[in-house]
Amino acid sequence: MNPVIRPRRLRTTPALRRLASETRLHPSELVLPMFVREGTGAAVPIQSMPGVVQHTVDSARRAVARAAEAGIGGIMLFGVPDVRDAVGTGATDPDGILNVATRALVTEVGDALVVQTDLCLDEFTDHGHCGVLSADGTVDNDTTLERYREMALVQAASGSQLLGLSGMMDGQVAAVREALDQSGYVDTAVLAYSAKYASAFYGPFRDAVESTLVGDRRSYQLDPANRREGVREALLDISEGADIVMVKPAGSYLDVLADVSAVSDIPVWAYQVSGEYAMIEAAAAHGWIDRRRAIEESVLSIRRAGADAVLTYWAVELADWLTERPTR
């Protein structure tokens, strides 16, 4: 007996497949992470992330103008300073590289896209941890919150429209929201890296920011074995006033992403991290996978799992593909 129900009918032509598609990508849902390095006269390639560089302020201006032209939603800016110390002084210096770059890029693009900044100390500390250390070498949560409050005010004053709280300190959203509101920055948005896992997939990122970390961050980032805890962290951040919550990494935590999306009444984002990028680039360079299809599929899967926006190093390239005329 021949089948009566034939799901393949909706797959027979490109036009039908487009019409029946459940999940779509759009450039405005993409955010480009960018690195700006102090003390370099030219952009510096990152060896473990082919195609990604540490920008100068000038090359970052050109890159952000190109990103705006591609129609992506925003950029997430990371600073790479020349000098680091125990408390990350450069993070709260108005003339520090991250704050200088923020002002330059806001001036360059205006409202064409959202200029966002990473609010964490790891790029600025000589020990590489995301906070201030206690005498015993552990991260002091509450002392670190005071530094985050200071960072928030400097970043907001520099023009950042959205602060990416990536340090995974308890109470960080409430502390930063209070500092912003008390200083008149009531319209500065907070993105909480809520479900940020202690992942092996961050390796190339540490090359990108020239991390000085010895040891690991397992005492404050989430255990990869824990699914429910990711939802708990997201709900805590929502209750503390986060405007957006995020799951990081994306590809290995699609279950957590789907769980958070199911309970959140605010936008949920996901970060396709450096290791995810590097693996696809490496496999494609060897001819083992179709690069474009793998990139598109990887980002589509993150959106399908529930992300309203995706931070990805392919943001501009993918946006260009998305605006091509579809194949007939």
Side-chain angles (χ1 to χ4, degrees), residues 50-64:
V52 181
V53 302
Q54 294 175 329
H55 284 284
T56 66
V57 173
D58 284 341
S59 71
R61 282 194 187 99
R62 294 189 293 273
V64 78

Side-chain angles (χ1 to χ4, degrees), residues 239-287:
S239 72
E240 290 180 13
D243 299 289
I244 303 165
V245 291
M246 185 148 74
V247 175
K248 178 182 179 182
S252 297
Y253 297 87
L254 296 180
D255 55 338
V256 178
L257 176 57
D259 291 347
V260 172
S261 178
V263 300
S264 177
D265 58 0
I266 64 174
V268 178
W269 292 6
Y271 196 143
Q272 187 178 45
V273 300
S274 58
E276 297 174 77
Y277 174 91
M279 287 193 300
I280 290 177
E281 289 289 352
H286 282 83

Side-chain angles (χ1 to χ4, degrees), residues 3 14 22 73 78 101-102 116 153 158 162 172 208 210 213 245 270 273-274 293 298 306-307 310 326:
E22 298 175 24
F78 298 87
T102 300
Q116 311 163 28
L153 298 183
S158 298
L162 185 150
Q172 63 184 13
E210 300 179 10
L213 179 68
V245 291
V273 300
S274 58
R293 287 187 62 195
S298 68
V310 181

Side-chain angles (χ1 to χ4, degrees), residues 149 153 175-186:
R149 289 166 64 96
L153 298 183
V176 166
R177 185 72 269 162
E178 180 184 57
L180 291 169
D181 290 352
Q182 288 179 348
S183 297
Y185 296 110
V186 295

Side-chain angles (χ1 to χ4, degrees), residues 23-51:
T23 306
R24 303 176 194 277
L25 298 178
H26 190 276
S28 64
E29 301 159 350
L30 304 174
V31 176
L32 175 68
M34 290 179 58
F35 307 97
V36 181
R37 194 189 191 290
E38 188 174 27
T40 181
V44 180
I46 300 166
Q47 295 303 314
S48 56
M49 299 177 69

Side-chain angles (χ1 to χ4, degrees), residues 140-158:
D140 185 324
N141 191 96
D142 297 357
T143 300
T144 298
L145 293 184
E146 292 306 311
R147 293 291 293 136
Y148 286 1
R149 289 166 64 96
E150 295 167 6
M151 286 182 72
L153 298 183
V154 176
Q155 290 185 3
S158 298

